[in-house]
Amino acid sequence: MELKQHPQAIWHILVRLILLCTFSVTQINQPVFADSPTNRQTLLQAAEITYSRENDAITALGNVELSQGSRILLADKVIYRQKKDEVTAEGNVILLEPNGEVLFSTKVVLSDKLKSGLIKDFKLLMNDGSRFAANSAIRSDGNRNVMKEAIFSPCHPCKEDPNKPLVWQIKADQITHYEATKDLEYEGALLEIFDLPIFYMPYFIHPDPSVERRSGFLIPTVGHSDEKGFIYGQPYFQVIDEARDIKLEPSIYTRKGMILKTHYRHALERGNIDLKTTTGVIANDLNETGFNDVALKGSIDLEAKFAIDDTWRTSFDLEQTSNKNYQRKFDLRTKEVLTSRAILEGFRLRNYTSLSLYKFQGLRVTDDRRAQPFVFPTLNYNFTGQPNTYGIRPEIDLEISSITRELGVDSRKLSLKSGLQMPFYSDLGEIYTFHSSLQTDLFFSNNMDGGLNVKSGTDNREFRIIPQFGVNWRYPFVRKQIDNVQIIEPIINFVLGPDTQNSSKIANEDSQAFEFDDTNIFDLNRYAGTDRITGGSRIDYGIRTSIAKDDGQQSELLLAQSYRFAGSSSFGEASGLEHKKSDYIGRFTFFPNDAFNINYRFRLDRKNFSPNRVELGLNLFHPQHTMGLDYILIDEQSETEEFGNREQLDLNINSQLLENWTSSLQLVQDFKDNSNRTIKASLGVTYTDECFTIGLQYQREDMSGEELQPEDQVLLLINFRDLGSL
């Protein structure tokens, strides 16, 4: 570096230059970015620095680099004119910001304490990949940047051919960036896709890419249905404050009426509130005279969670709709049962306590509103003790509940279940687990219909004490090979209990839809709840084998059966447990690699091995393709009369056709009662890259129910990053 001045003047110049650079570097980045402290040390590097007394100008030439912290300014030449209060950077000007944003220019001229100025050949690369380019940019008032003949796009240039047209961009006569409000304002804007003009907008405004939440209109929803007619929805998003916002979307259906959707969110210091509502003015028919049979319909979905302290928390869920098929018909929701609840729960060490209220609304055709249960209170206490020196671990489960209905059974229950569990390992490698359980129940019920010695409308009281004891024995044989580990494990499970039959005076509220499978064959009580008990004494036996290879390949097979040697069956017909010898149950899993797996669960008839229950899952993972196939077959049994028998296939395939093109296929087929009905079928194609998505999907649904008809529809998805979705 060369200094061409008198030694005393040189020291004076250096002091002024350091102060200037400290101030200048801070302010030069201000036209596009936020302020930074002015007291940071600034480093100046250049091939030559000169000072002109005549012009009162300091000039840095040749590979000029000004750095302050993580902020760096590069240029061929930097000139500071003190009298004019003007800083000029020329030639390959590059400003590197700490947040990753980069400004490019051929010439930058700033004045008025660097609050105003001109930037020629303006280019800006933001930290999210978005790009601005303009012939010139004028800065004024310290926070307003006006770009002339400008372009904005979040799309990345093609790596193989940077001159290839961008997927989409907005060209405008003028783009104004307001830094204080973070708005981008366009005048004479033209949306181009692959350089083809698509849509002209005389005036357009949207938040800059750094904004996460902003009030304003969102991209509208547009569609058509042969039943609902033309569909138009215009959402508006309002930011109330940092912790609250709301979205309003009125939607018009030309053949049915209109629906107003709202979504309110509120974040609190110890919780949050999420509220969704819909209000619709819906007509059942439209003819030449207008709408007929107009009705007011609506729905509400409220979720609220609050942490009271480190132990206690509470939550509220409210789900309600005015009509069974209102939400499904207008694609608002697809649940079959809406659940409302309020719960207070506490967690401390190995203790859990909850106090709950439940209300249900069934949306199936067979559901009667008057028969829906109202549950309050439900008190649960669960405790799992720490094992003592002998490995004995106590367990306690307490439940108090009350269930009422407008039409049907009312029931109240007090249930206390206590038990002990102790594992034991023999010197030969055998694994014993001793279980003991004592369940004490007191039931009150009325309005029971039918049943032995039970009269409709009478009050019933039932008290029972059920002791059970079990021993589970396992003996794993392990063989280690060079590249795998093999395990063969016989399992025997003894359960001793009284010959207790489930009384018809006890309402079955928590043990419905029982399924005998590999998950409950070795349990003391195979029912999920406490209303029903697995009575009698039995022996369960089975074998589990597995192979695990070093390359990650795994396979496992479980086959088991149960034999009841004392007592009567507690289960209904076709359950697989109605005879002394049960059906065979099993599970087979196979994971040959990360790209493929099989999960097969089954229940085979004890006599002829015919399938009474089959669940098959196949999954295929490939860099370009994924496939999931699920098949289920369940024969009807007395515990599941409400659902009947089921046989269904669900197939999903997703493929990467090209680099940015994907396809999707879904098929849901119903084979129940030898039928072959397509419940749902869809086929879609989607293009997606870093800044743009467009997809087209055909879908057909054949759902049965009140006001529901088979429907074909075509769905179009368009997403412009930073602008919105349609």
Side-chain angles (χ1 to χ4, degrees):
M1 181 172 68
E2 182 181 359
L3 297 177
K4 301 178 180 179
Q5 290 291 334
H6 188 275
Q8 294 181 352
I10 291 175
W11 173 254
H12 175 68
I13 292 171
L14 286 176
V15 173
R16 293 177 61 188
L17 185 59
I18 292 173
L19 294 175
L20 163 69
C21 293
T22 303
F23 177 72
S24 298
V25 173
T26 300
Q27 298 296 332
I28 284 175
N29 80 90
Q30 190 182 23
V32 184
F33 308 105
D35 295 336
S36 62
T38 59
N39 58 355
R40 295 179 182 174
Q41 184 179 6
T42 301
L43 174 65
L44 169 65
Q45 295 181 0
E48 180 180 322
I49 297 178
T50 62
Y51 171 66
S52 172
R53 290 181 179 275
E54 181 180 354
N55 299 321
D56 194 21
I58 299 174
T59 303
L61 292 172
N63 298 322
V64 181
E65 179 178 335
L66 292 173
S67 60
Q68 185 185 69
S70 301
R71 181 178 290 108
I72 301 175
L73 173 67
L74 306 174
D76 294 338
K77 182 179 180 182
V78 175
I79 304 172
Y80 173 60
R81 296 178 176 88
Q82 187 175 13
K83 292 181 179 180
K84 293 184 178 181
D85 188 21
E86 181 182 270
V87 175
T88 302
E90 297 179 343
N92 301 312
V93 180
I94 301 176
L95 178 62
L96 307 174
E97 279 290 323
N99 61 2
E101 296 176 339
V102 185
L103 180 146
F104 303 89
S105 176
T106 58
K107 185 176 182 180
V108 176
V109 181
L110 300 174
S111 60
D112 187 19
K113 296 182 180 179
L114 308 178
K115 294 181 180 179
S116 302
L118 171 67
I119 304 175
K120 290 188 175 181
D121 298 323
F122 173 84
K123 295 180 181 178
L124 175 63
L125 175 63
M126 304 191 75
N127 56 12
D128 67 343
S130 301
R131 289 167 166 79
F132 287 94
N135 287 342
S136 64
I138 300 174
R139 178 172 177 78
S140 61
D141 302 328
N143 70 350
R144 182 171 177 265
N145 303 301
V146 180
M147 294 165 273
K148 300 290 187 179
E149 299 180 13
I151 298 175
F152 166 74
S153 177
C155 304
H156 298 170
C158 178
K159 295 181 180 179
E160 292 76 14
D161 183 8
N163 296 321
K164 188 177 180 180
L166 297 176
V167 177
W168 71 270
Q169 61 185 7
I170 298 179
K171 290 183 177 179
D173 298 334
Q174 177 175 301
I175 300 178
T176 303
H177 183 207
Y178 298 93
E179 293 180 7
T181 61
K182 296 185 178 182
D183 284 325
L184 288 172
E185 182 183 75
Y186 298 79
E187 296 181 18
L190 180 64
L191 173 65
E192 293 184 351
I193 298 180
F194 294 110
D195 280 353
L196 297 176
I198 301 298
F199 189 70
Y200 175 77
M201 297 164 285
Y203 178 83
F204 178 57
I205 187 171
H206 70 85
D208 70 30
S210 66
V211 175
E212 296 183 359
R213 296 167 68 238
R214 171 66 61 83
S215 300
F217 289 99
L218 305 179
I219 298 295
T221 300
V222 181
H224 183 271
S225 168
D226 53 0
E227 183 182 0
K228 306 179 188 73
F230 178 75
I231 304 170
Y232 180 81
Q234 180 57 68
Y236 178 81
F237 183 73
Q238 176 65 45
V239 176
I240 302 173
D241 52 36
E242 292 184 355
R244 296 179 296 167
D245 56 45
I246 186 171
K247 185 174 78 169
L248 306 173
E249 183 178 359
S251 299
I252 298 174
Y253 304 84
T254 56
R255 295 183 181 176
K256 288 297 179 181
M258 70 172 295
I259 295 176
L260 175 63
K261 308 172 190 175
T262 69
H263 186 185
Y264 172 78
R265 301 185 302 176
H266 190 175
L268 302 170
E269 182 179 357
R270 285 184 167 270
N272 59 77
I273 299 174
D274 191 291
L275 173 63
K276 299 176 184 177
T277 68
T278 69
T279 304
V281 180
I282 306 300
N284 289 331
D285 190 21
L286 174 65
N287 55 31
E288 297 178 356
T289 60
F291 291 112
N292 289 330
D293 193 14
V294 177
L296 184 66
K297 300 182 180 181
S299 65
I300 183 172
D301 181 4
L302 168 65
E303 294 184 16
K305 298 179 180 180
F306 304 96
I308 301 173
D309 54 31
D310 293 339
T311 300
W312 295 93
R313 71 183 183 186
T314 183
S315 62
F316 306 91
D317 295 327
L318 175 61
E319 296 180 339
Q320 197 71 21
T321 183
S322 59
N323 300 82
K324 287 184 178 181
N325 291 309
Y326 161 68
Q327 291 180 301
R328 181 176 294 180
K329 183 175 182 179
F330 290 93
D331 300 321
L332 304 175
R333 208 162 190 183
T334 57
K335 283 187 175 181
E336 291 187 343
V337 178
L338 301 182
T339 303
S340 300
R341 75 168 188 170
I343 182 170
L344 173 68
E345 54 187 349
F347 304 83
R348 178 172 293 174
L349 299 178
R350 293 172 174 264
N351 298 271
Y352 171 76
T353 306
S354 67
L355 178 64
S356 308
L357 174 152
Y358 289 90
K359 181 182 181 299
F360 303 94
Q361 183 182 14
L363 304 182
R364 293 166 295 194
V365 177
T366 56
D367 288 331
D368 187 338
R369 178 190 60 80
R370 300 171 298 173
Q372 299 300 311
F374 176 74
V375 185
F376 180 76
T378 293
L379 175 65
N380 286 278
Y381 172 75
N382 308 103
F383 168 74
T384 301
Q386 187 78 20
N388 62 14
T389 55
Y390 300 101
I392 301 176
R393 185 178 64 194
E395 299 174 338
I396 297 175
D397 294 302
L398 172 66
E399 179 184 358
I400 301 174
S401 65
S402 174
I403 302 175
T404 59
R405 294 174 174 85
E406 182 180 341
L407 178 64
V409 179
D410 296 336
S411 63
R412 289 162 296 283
K413 174 175 66 175
L414 170 61
S415 177
L416 175 62
K417 185 177 180 181
S418 58
L420 297 174
Q421 184 179 137
M422 183 185 72
F424 173 77
Y425 305 91
S426 73
D427 295 337
L428 298 177
E430 300 166 288
I431 302 174
Y432 295 89
T433 305
F434 298 91
H435 300 267
S436 67
S437 171
L438 179 65
Q439 181 171 326
T440 305
D441 302 316
L442 179 61
F443 295 90
F444 299 90
S445 61
N446 55 24
N447 300 326
M448 299 275 293
D449 293 328
L452 183 63
N453 299 324
V454 178
K455 297 180 180 180
S456 177
T458 61
D459 295 333
N460 302 286
R461 179 183 302 172
E462 189 78 7
F463 176 76
R464 69 184 183 190
I465 298 179
I466 309 295
Q468 287 182 303
F469 178 78
V471 179
N472 184 279
W473 173 85
R474 293 182 292 139
Y475 198 175
F477 295 90
V478 181
R479 183 171 68 174
K480 299 189 67 173
Q481 301 281 17
I482 297 178
D483 62 345
N484 65 77
V485 176
Q486 303 173 17
I487 299 177
I488 299 178
E489 184 181 47
I491 304 172
I492 299 177
N493 190 61
F494 288 94
V495 177
L496 300 177
D499 182 15
T500 300
Q501 293 299 302
N502 291 303
S503 172
S504 57
K505 296 181 180 180
I506 300 175
N508 185 6
E509 303 285 3
D510 62 9
S511 302
Q512 301 182 23
F514 168 79
E515 289 291 342
F516 175 51
D517 56 27
D518 58 287
T519 64
N520 55 31
I521 184 173
F522 298 116
D523 292 345
L524 290 183
N525 183 20
R526 289 172 172 150
Y527 287 103
T530 58
D531 290 345
R532 292 292 181 262
I533 288 292
T534 304
S537 300
R538 68 181 195 268
I539 178 173
D540 312 316
Y541 43 89
I543 187 169
R544 184 181 72 90
T545 65
S546 66
I547 300 177
K549 293 188 174 182
D550 294 343
D551 59 3
Q553 183 179 132
Q554 298 182 30
S555 61
E556 181 183 11
L557 172 65
L558 171 67
L559 184 64
Q561 190 184 34
S562 179
Y563 174 74
R564 188 181 69 257
F565 58 84
S568 303
S569 172
S570 305
F571 302 91
E573 292 295 325
S575 64
L577 290 165
E578 64 272 24
H579 303 287
K580 286 186 175 295
K581 282 188 177 182
S582 73
D583 285 351
Y584 296 96
I585 61 94
R587 178 186 70 246
F588 173 70
T589 58
F590 181 46
F591 296 84
N593 48 54
D594 293 337
F596 180 69
N597 63 66
I598 299 175
N599 192 343
Y600 176 54
R601 300 173 64 201
F602 55 88
R603 177 163 64 86
L604 307 178
D605 187 85
R606 63 187 179 89
K607 291 183 177 180
N608 55 23
F609 297 97
S610 62
N612 292 325
R613 177 189 175 97
V614 174
E615 292 182 51
L616 175 63
L618 301 176
N619 293 285
L620 174 66
F621 305 97
H622 185 269
Q624 281 76 41
H625 311 282
T626 62
M627 183 193 77
L629 183 147
D630 292 295
Y631 171 80
I632 185 169
L633 166 67
I634 302 177
D635 277 354
E636 183 178 0
Q637 53 180 295
S638 58
E639 278 88 354
T640 60
E641 288 180 351
E642 182 179 358
F643 304 100
N645 61 313
R646 284 153 284 173
E647 185 177 6
Q648 183 173 297
L649 174 72
D650 191 341
L651 174 65
N652 289 274
I653 300 177
N654 294 278
S655 298
Q656 185 83 32
L657 303 177
L658 298 172
E659 181 180 0
N660 299 108
W661 290 90
T662 59
S663 66
S664 62
L665 170 69
Q666 181 182 16
L667 179 66
V668 181
Q669 204 74 11
D670 183 13
F671 300 109
K672 182 176 64 177
D673 299 328
N674 296 320
S675 65
N676 189 9
R677 183 172 68 96
T678 300
I679 298 177
K680 182 178 181 179
S682 67
L683 177 65
V685 179
T686 303
Y687 171 88
T688 235
D689 57 30
E690 79 282 350
C691 66
F692 179 70
T693 298
I694 182 169
L696 186 66
Q697 183 183 53
Y698 165 79
Q699 179 175 297
R700 174 175 176 79
E701 289 186 341
D702 185 5
M703 306 297 293
S704 59
E706 299 174 1
E707 303 178 2
L708 292 179
Q709 300 294 332
E711 183 177 8
D712 293 88
Q713 58 182 342
V714 177
L715 308 175
L716 176 66
L717 168 67
I718 300 177
N719 176 271
F720 295 91
R721 204 191 86 186
D722 297 329
L723 297 184
S725 301
L726 174 63

